[in-house]
């Protein structure tokens, strides 16, 4: 199997470039998950790659109108309920389809369920502000936490990333507060999206969807992408093999049964 070509087909390479937010939502729903922008050394689909034919940065350092459009989508997609956004996939800025978010969400699915997990004090305070006051701009959150100076700003940014990796919070539109650019608004994931009850979620389904999108993968890759333990990822992939939804490959690890010869994706029935 030519894995690179198979993934390119699966990740919409060769299709018309995505220029509208509804098509961006369709792409995310199809692949299930995507980085916002491509990241060197991380092989995952990205929204920017299907939205532009040009490199992310020009030789002059200008990232161009396509990048501006994708940057705006990251806040608008969650506000419309079309995709979750935060630092989740390997801790990078990324988007999740709402259907996949439901299977990945690790707690009860109530706005206050972040109280069930261990968070840093600053992340916990941010979550409690959101719970008490509703969606808040990052400017308002910085003021509430008295964030001043480089060190405090870095700690604040780490706390926001921590809430993303734990799926506690998502971007939720923007606020115009008189600066040069609108600032992002944050909201609790369980209030921004409809999270199914635990009995209707399936990590096995999430693993299968990951494998379908990646075409082939190793347990360590699945684990690092979704923040799972490697042993759990391996067990889920083995279950897919037993059910005929995947096969083992000495070089690639596990291959999705949705890919036929040469990595060509089979039509769903």
């Amino acid at each position: 199997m030519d894995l690179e070509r198979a993934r390119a087909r699966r990740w919409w390479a060769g299709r018309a470039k995505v220029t509208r937010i509804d098509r961006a939502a369709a792409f995310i729903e199809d692949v299930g998950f995507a980085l916002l922008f491509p990241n060197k050394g991380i092989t995952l689909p990205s929204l920017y790659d299907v939205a532009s034919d040009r490199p992310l940065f020009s030789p002059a350092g200008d990232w161009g109108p396509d990048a501006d459009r994708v940057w705006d989508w990251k806040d608008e997609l969650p506000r419309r309920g079309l995709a979750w956004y935060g630092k989740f996939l390997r801790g990078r800025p990324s988007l999740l389809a709402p259907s996949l978010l439901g299977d990945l969400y690790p707690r009860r699915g109530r706005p206050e369920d972040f109280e069930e997990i261990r968070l840093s004090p600053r992340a916990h305070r941010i979550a409690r502000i959101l719970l008490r006051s509703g969606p808040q701009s990052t400017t308002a959150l910085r003021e509430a936490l008295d964030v001043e100076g480089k060190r405090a700003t870095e700690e604040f940014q780490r706390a926001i990333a921590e809430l993303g990796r734990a799926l506690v919070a998502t971007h939720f539109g923007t606020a115009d507060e008189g600066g040069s650019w609108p600032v992002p608004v944050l909201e609790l994931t369980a209030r921004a999206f409809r999270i199914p009850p635990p009995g209707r979620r399936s990590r096995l389904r999430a693993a299968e969807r990951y494998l379908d999108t990646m075409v082939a993968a190793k347990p360590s890759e699945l684990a690092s992408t979704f923040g799972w333990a490697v042993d759990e990822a391996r067990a889920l992939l083995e279950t897919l093999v037993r059910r005929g939804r995947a096969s083992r490959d000495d070089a690639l690890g596990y291959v999705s049964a949705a890919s036929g010869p040469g990595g060509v994706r089979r039509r769903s029935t």
Side-chain angles (χ1 to χ4, degrees):
M1 175 192 296
D2 186 330
L3 183 57
E4 185 174 348
R5 291 181 61 186
R7 283 175 173 170
R9 284 192 294 268
R10 181 69 186 90
W11 300 351
W12 289 31
R15 297 196 189 189
K17 290 301 172 183
V18 171
T19 58
R20 304 192 317 265
I21 194 169
D22 61 327
R23 291 295 293 156
F27 167 72
I28 296 162
E29 181 57 42
D30 183 38
V31 296
F33 57 91
L35 296 173
L36 184 65
F37 295 112
N39 198 293
K40 187 176 181 179
I42 298 179
T43 304
L44 291 172
S46 86
L47 181 56
Y48 181 79
D49 281 338
V50 299
S52 183
D53 286 317
R54 57 178 284 172
L56 182 55
F57 290 100
S58 71
D62 175 22
W63 70 343
D66 294 338
D68 282 336
R69 184 167 57 251
V70 170
W71 187 255
D72 290 340
W73 286 345
K74 81 182 190 319
D75 299 300
E76 188 63 16
L77 284 163
R79 190 188 69 80
R80 298 190 190 186
L82 298 175
W84 180 95
Y85 174 77
K87 290 188 175 181
F88 179 73
L89 302 173
R90 302 196 184 186
R92 301 316 199 273
S94 44
L95 299 126
L96 300 175
S99 54
L100 179 61
L101 172 66
D103 285 330
L104 291 174
Y105 196 83
R107 295 174 298 281
R108 288 181 299 157
R110 298 182 61 83
E112 70 276 10
D113 65 15
F114 63 85
E115 301 282 8
E116 302 169 6
I117 61 174
R118 180 177 296 178
L119 294 170
S120 67
R122 194 177 291 270
H124 191 262
R125 287 183 63 192
I126 292 171
R128 281 197 163 178
I129 292 170
L130 297 177
L131 179 64
R132 181 180 65 248
S133 304
Q136 297 288 303
S137 71
T138 52
T139 299
L141 290 169
R142 287 171 60 94
E143 291 175 353
L145 272 64
D146 195 25
V147 174
E148 292 185 5
K150 181 179 179 181
R151 181 175 179 180
T153 296
E154 291 174 349
E155 290 177 354
F156 177 78
Q157 292 171 342
R158 283 197 295 269
I160 297 298
E162 181 183 354
L163 293 174
R165 189 61 166 160
L167 295 177
V168 171
T170 180
H171 281 222
F172 198 67
T174 59
D176 187 354
E177 299 188 343
S180 301
W181 300 95
V183 296
V185 171
L186 300 184
E187 171 63 305
L188 295 171
T189 297
R191 202 158 52 196
F193 291 90
R194 181 175 297 176
I195 305 297
R200 293 175 55 192
R201 302 178 211 164
S202 171
R203 286 166 84 92
L204 180 64
R205 186 165 55 217
E208 183 174 11
R209 195 161 186 188
Y210 171 85
L211 194 60
D212 171 73
T213 294
M214 298 303 293
V215 182
K218 298 176 180 177
S220 59
E221 294 168 337
L222 168 57
S224 63
T225 300
F226 288 165
W228 295 349
V230 175
D231 287 346
E232 179 186 13
R234 181 178 293 104
L236 290 168
L237 292 170
E238 284 293 330
T239 298
L240 293 176
V241 171
R242 290 195 299 272
R243 296 186 181 185
R245 311 299 287 269
S247 60
R248 298 186 197 89
D249 184 281
D250 290 341
L252 301 176
Y254 294 81
V255 178
S256 171
S259 297
V264 177
R265 193 179 186 218
R266 295 172 180 156
R267 293 183 179 273
S268 59
T269 56

